[in-house]
Amino acid sequence: MTSKLAALERWVNEVAAQTRPAKIHWCDGSDAEYQALVQQMLQTGDLIELNQQTHPGCYLHRSNPSDVARVEHLTFVCTKHEEDAGPNNHWMAPAEAHAKIDALFDGCMQGRTMYVIPYCMGPIDSPLSRCGVEITDSPYVVANMRTMTRMGAAALARIEREGHFVKGLHSTGELDPERRFIMHFPEELTIKSYGSGYGGNALLGKKCHALRIASFQAQREGWLAEHMLIVGIENPQGQTHYIAAAFPSACGKTNLAMLIPPEGYRQNGWRVWTIGDDICWMRPGEDGRLYAINPEAGFFGVAPGTSASSNPNALTSISSDTIFTNVALTADNQPWWEGLPGTPVVDWQGRPYDPANGPAAHPNSRFTVRAKQCPTWSPKAEDAQGVPISAIVFGGRRPSLLPLVMEARDWAHGVLMGAAMGSETTAAATGAVGVLRRDSMAMKPFCGYHYGDYFAHWLSFDKPGAKLPKIFHVNWFRKGKDGKFLWPGFGENLRVLEWMIARVEGKARGAETPIGTLPATGELKLDGLDLPRETLAELLNLDASGWEMELHAIGEYLDSFGKRLPAQLRQEQQRVQQALHVPRKAANA
Ligand code: GTP
Ligand code: SPV
Ligand code: MN
């Protein structure tokens, strides 16, 4: 197979001349192709067969131990002008970046097969979807791209019809962290990634295309590409509200997207529909509302902590036809990670399990599975027009200060809440874990341009005729003095979503405070939940002096974006800061 599109044909030939593979394979996305790849990887040891009785169609992949997470310090946005990448990105001049990485690509596929992967991000017939082509020498990448995107013949047909596509070139190279770069050229709609086989670094449709390149395009074209889950909440009357939520990596998007309602809610007829767990593309529709699609077709989810109690839908999804990366094994060859029952026998590196070596599964071990396998997968996820968004939620891991939930008074205040987001770092990226850092809109690692321009772009949606979602901020991760989480989280989070929906529908009064609207006394439904009154009070407490320090820190953070920071955002920060100085009564007794 080749392509009718001259630009594609030419680029594939150029890359082949540069990387000199033994063979070129154009991926058609068929079952037969997937099965053949799996067989080949079983032979080379890239995949290990798992217990086919308990986990049919499931395989394990073990990464090089130095290649288990995203590498932010090796990820670059290479715009012509440094200023356009912003202080939120590492920047390299395009010519220098091309020269550096092209030297690594030179001859790197000798003796290997070069795979050409046409893919579509989003439903194949959706005007909101975008296409790309990834060239890679990794069969593991091909297998994962097939699960995560609409890959193959249909995508190629769309690319040939449209005549344009995002170019992504990838090679696993030597997996040497000293010879590893993830380069983005948004002005050329090009990605070059060398030296890593890990998800976010190698499955180029995901973070590289659907967030870094797409956010850059979205800014120019009037839409949003966000690190958000999309979930539908159906009330007992059968009405569904769609909610999009931005939480940083490993902070609960997959869990919230697949939430199981608490017992009482299930009996009353509440249902939850999963649309997406990681990426959301939204744009204003004719009626002024924001419509969203999930550009992905699968989940690349965090394994540790996924259990029958925390996320039964995920557990069901991954009981067959799943690729596990860097999990441990039980004696009978089942995948295992911390949080599951049973005992590990072999750790994620293939060694006999010894607690002295740390956790059995890597903390960032993952599963790759088709979204369709999720019991709560929404038929609307295939809808070409997307789903209307009623509420946008921001949140992160904040052990203190941030209340369980608060609502922004308007769009600009909501943008401030998103910009001010902070979270403790997790194992999803290499580096220290548990360090509090600002992660505006959960996009710090993924925004493909200057954060100042990004905030201005967010603000620009508030215009006449717009019917924007309400914006909220949540914190499932507030800790008590004993260091334990105060809020039970997971399925119980529906209680908080219910309050948000009541606010959207004008059915909850709320309690106004300088930092936003909190649930008024009695508005959060807690029946069937054993939550002491004092704990609830702590979760909704407003620590005025703590907030004054926080607002001061937010002001300094915003100033770090210099001239490109929209003045409106700084004014909004000052408004909240001043409101905090006015004496007031406690919001929640
Ligand atoms: P990426 O795929 O990295 O973008 O992450 P994600 O946001 O989808 O993360 P995920 O849902 O997989 O969350 C991973 C971690 O968050 C696990 O350790 C979960 O146990 C924990 N988690 C998720 N929801 C909650 C919650 O409501 N409360 C608490 N305490 N922990 C949660
Ligand atoms: C994340 O780190 O936010 C992920 C996993 O969703 S990765 O695709 O590797 O970026
Ligand atoms: Mn993510």
Side-chain angles (χ1 to χ4, degrees), residues 99-173:
K100 223 182 187 94
I101 202 160
D102 284 347
L104 300 175
F105 278 115
D106 194 20
C108 73
M109 296 187 192
Q110 285 178 67
R112 305 169 65 98
T113 300
M114 174 176 120
Y115 299 91
V116 182
I117 311 171
Y119 63 86
C120 180
M121 300 310 290
I124 206 96
D125 57 348
S126 171
L128 282 73
S129 301
R130 297 300 172 96
C131 292
V133 178
E134 174 166 359
I135 296 180
T136 180
D137 55 7
S138 162
Y140 168 80
V141 166
V142 181
N144 279 273
M145 283 291 283
R146 177 169 188 267
T147 305
M148 296 303 297
T149 72
R150 279 97 173 160
M151 159 189 140
L156 182 60
R158 178 167 170 161
I159 290 167
E160 289 175 341
R161 194 169 66 242
E162 291 181 333
H164 54 83
F165 57 95
V166 169
K167 292 178 188 151
L169 173 55
H170 169 257
S171 171
T172 42

Side-chain angles (χ1 to χ4, degrees), residues 70 198-201 206-207 227 248-250 253 278 300 364 366 428-429 446:
R70 285 182 292 99
Y198 170 75
N201 301 331
K206 197 171 175 54
K207 296 299 167 48
H227 191 204
S249 304
K253 290 185 299 300
D278 197 46
F300 182 60
N364 192 38
R366 300 236 168 199
F446 310 118

Side-chain angles (χ1 to χ4, degrees), residues 232-241 270-271 501 505 507:
I233 309 292
E234 184 179 334
N235 67 17
Q237 292 74 47
Q239 293 146 338
T240 304
H241 281 284
W270 288 83
R271 299 193 66 175
I501 291 169
E505 292 182 338
K507 290 179 184 158

Side-chain angles (χ1 to χ4, degrees), residues 76-86 89-98 183-190 213 216 220 448-450 453 564:
F76 291 81
V77 169
C78 310
T79 43
K80 209 180 304 160
H81 303 290
E82 179 168 6
E83 181 73 4
D84 291 338
N89 280 303
H90 297 293
W91 176 85
M92 203 183 285
E96 185 192 344
H98 279 300
M183 308 275 205
H184 303 73
F185 306 89
E187 289 141 344
E188 303 165 37
L189 301 184
T190 295
I213 300 285
F216 180 93
R220 298 186 164 194
Y449 62 104
H450 197 299
D453 296 339
R564 295 215 190 180

Side-chain angles (χ1 to χ4, degrees), residues 16-81:
Q18 179 186 22
T19 59
R20 302 197 286 284
K23 252 178 36 199
I24 301 179
H25 176 97
W26 288 71
C27 299
D28 63 12
S30 64
D31 275 339
E33 179 182 74
Y34 180 80
Q35 292 309 333
L37 278 169
V38 166
Q39 288 313 313
Q40 179 197 326
M41 285 190 277
L42 288 171
Q43 266 156 36
T44 55
D46 278 341
L47 288 186
I48 296 165
E49 191 167 78
L50 292 169
N51 185 325
Q52 296 296 300
Q53 265 75 53
T54 57
H55 291 77
C58 291
Y59 304 96
L60 167 67
H61 172 78
R62 290 197 186 112
S63 306
N64 184 306
S66 72
D67 185 36
V68 291
R70 285 182 292 99
V71 281
E72 295 178 7
H73 60 295
L74 302 173
T75 300
F76 291 81
V77 169
C78 310
T79 43
K80 209 180 304 160
H81 303 290

Side-chain angles (χ1 to χ4, degrees), residues 380-397:
K380 288 275 182 192
E382 302 292 335
D383 195 319
Q385 300 310 313
V387 294
I389 298 296
S390 299
I392 288 175
V393 182
F394 295 119
R397 288 179 187 262

